[in-house]
Amino acid sequence: LIETHQKMPIIVACIEKVANLHRILMLCHDYDKIHCHNSNSNSSDGSIQNEHGQSMLSNAIVILPNITGDQKGQTLREFDNAIDHFHKVIIDPEKGSGDGHSHRYRPTLVYEEHAAEKISVMIEQCQSHSNHALPPFQPSIVGIDLHPDALTLHGDYATTSQNQTVSPALQKMRGADAIVFGYESTGIPETIADQLLNSWVQIPSRSSINVVAAMSIVLDALMAAGVGSCTNST
């Protein structure tokens, strides 16, 4: 039998550069292809999907810095064009163009000023899609950044098929509704941190690491703990 474990949290990334968007699109797409390819939640094209036909990319939010004037529309077009290019070069050759798959591989773009509201709405939507009616709850939103109260994600966590043992930082991320990665230059915006975040996780490093590397480390840890992946059970 195939056993699917905990759902993947919404992935939120604050990005200033289109180049980082390209890397994040490929990273999420690779995880969709590599993990859970034998799951009964897979689509015919091999991507990880929940029961509502969503992939990791469709559950991702990309936050852009606040911009005023004409440059605001131009920046959004640049990021939209990068996603279109990703579809043309990567998705369409794999899945075939024009078959209605594009929405499953398109993250949500939002400017910083509207990000807190968008994150809350997407979490509520995920909860409403649950098969079970849930009472009102306080969402768990984890920030990946340096912080006095941050738990440290060490590389010594372990998992077993019988009894999963994970570090406190990984346990916190496993139960998260959303995980937020900050800008490389300034970290997580204060508006988002103050309004939404209720816990923090930091990645130990002798030097700063970019948002794509941080996301890769976190996704590896989550997958190792069975989040958003599947195992063969007997």
Side-chain angles (χ1 to χ4, degrees):
L1 296 176
I2 302 295
E3 179 184 357
T4 301
H5 292 265
Q6 291 172 268
K7 66 179 180 63
M8 179 65 67
I10 294 171
I11 300 298
V12 183
C14 300
I15 299 178
E16 299 162 298
K17 304 173 184 176
V18 173
N20 278 340
L21 175 60
H22 283 290
R23 297 182 183 106
I24 287 173
L25 292 172
M26 284 303 307
L27 180 67
C28 292
H29 182 54
D30 286 344
Y31 274 100
D32 266 350
K33 291 172 62 178
I34 294 170
H35 294 276
C36 205
H37 61 278
N38 291 323
S39 172
N40 55 11
S41 63
N42 274 17
S43 70
S44 60
D45 59 29
S47 64
I48 302 175
Q49 296 180 24
N50 60 25
E51 63 271 28
H52 307 286
Q54 296 172 315
S55 70
M56 187 181 297
L57 278 175
S58 66
N59 277 329
I61 300 174
V62 173
I63 298 176
L64 310 180
N66 288 331
I67 301 173
T68 59
D70 295 339
Q71 190 177 359
K72 186 172 185 177
Q74 178 182 348
T75 299
L76 188 60
R77 285 193 297 273
E78 289 175 355
F79 277 75
D80 265 327
N81 289 340
I83 298 174
D84 290 340
H85 179 75
F86 168 74
H87 277 259
K88 180 178 179 180
V89 175
I90 302 298
I91 300 298
D92 288 349
E94 290 183 359
K95 321 300 180 191
S97 60
D99 66 352
H101 59 252
S102 61
H103 68 283
R104 299 202 304 261
Y105 302 95
R106 198 170 196 93
T108 297
L109 299 179
V110 62
Y111 280 105
E112 188 179 312
E113 59 189 322
H114 303 300
E117 179 183 3
K118 176 58 69 174
I119 294 169
S120 297
V121 168
M122 284 191 64
I123 290 175
E124 291 176 2
Q125 289 174 342
C126 288
Q127 289 297 322
S128 67
H129 289 160
S130 172
N131 293 329
H132 306 285
L134 296 176
F137 77 111
Q138 175 66 34
S140 174
I141 304 178
V142 178
I144 307 297
D145 208 346
L146 298 177
H147 191 273
D149 299 325
L151 299 170
T152 300
L153 180 65
H154 293 291
D156 58 354
Y157 56 82
T159 61
T160 68
S161 58
Q162 298 298 322
N163 182 27
Q164 292 184 340
T165 302
V166 298
S167 70
L170 183 52
Q171 187 65 41
K172 180 66 67 174
M173 293 192 305
R174 288 182 69 193
D177 295 289
I179 296 177
V180 182
F181 298 84
Y183 296 115
E184 292 180 347
S185 60
T186 57
I188 296 174
E190 289 185 4
T191 52
I192 297 174
D194 294 343
Q195 293 182 48
L196 297 181
L197 299 189
N198 41 40
S199 55
W200 299 79
V201 168
Q202 60 190 8
I203 300 171
S205 174
R206 294 182 179 180
S207 60
S208 61
I209 56 177
N210 64 40
V211 63
V212 181
M215 188 178 296
S216 179
I217 292 169
V218 167
L219 291 178
D220 273 342
L222 290 173
M223 293 292 185
V227 177
S229 64
C230 59
T231 57
N232 292 324
S233 60
T234 56

